[in-house]
Amino acid sequence: MKFTPRNVDRATVFDVDTKKQLKQVLMVNTETRSVVVAKQPLRLNHKGSVERETIHFDAIHPIYGGGIKPCLFHCYGRLP
């Protein structure tokens, strides 16, 4: 399932292997096991859209914490 700021409120995305929070997350796709983040420093491409980077993982687990929407994502096994 695709999760974006439109269908998830303020979820934290955490790379469990490196023990770091991923910043500027634009989308989490649990089916393709990918996370799309804005490149840092934030910049626009020639079309006026935010430049993005896709990070792939072996597994992404949404954590619901008792709610109906995920509040946290745990990402395991970052792929090159």
Side-chain angles (χ1 to χ4, degrees):
M1 181 168 192
K2 290 182 184 178
F3 296 99
T4 66
R6 291 182 182 177
N7 61 358
V8 174
D9 301 324
R10 298 186 188 133
T12 302
V13 181
F14 196 71
D15 184 342
V16 176
D17 297 334
T18 62
K19 299 179 180 149
K20 292 184 180 179
Q21 180 179 346
L22 299 177
K23 302 287 186 177
Q24 302 295 325
V25 175
L26 302 173
M27 182 183 71
V28 175
N29 189 331
T30 56
E31 292 173 6
T32 62
R33 300 179 313 269
S34 60
V35 178
V36 178
V37 296
K39 286 190 175 183
Q40 295 298 317
L42 190 63
R43 56 189 179 265
L44 302 179
N45 63 19
H46 67 283
K47 294 180 180 179
S49 298
V50 173
E51 285 196 13
R52 302 163 181 235
E53 176 183 358
T54 303
I55 306 167
H56 298 279
F57 292 92
D58 280 333
I60 298 176
H61 299 286
I63 310 297
Y64 288 87
I68 59 171
K69 296 179 182 180
C71 58
L72 176 67
F73 292 91
H74 280 177
C75 304
Y76 298 92
R78 190 174 190 154
L79 301 172

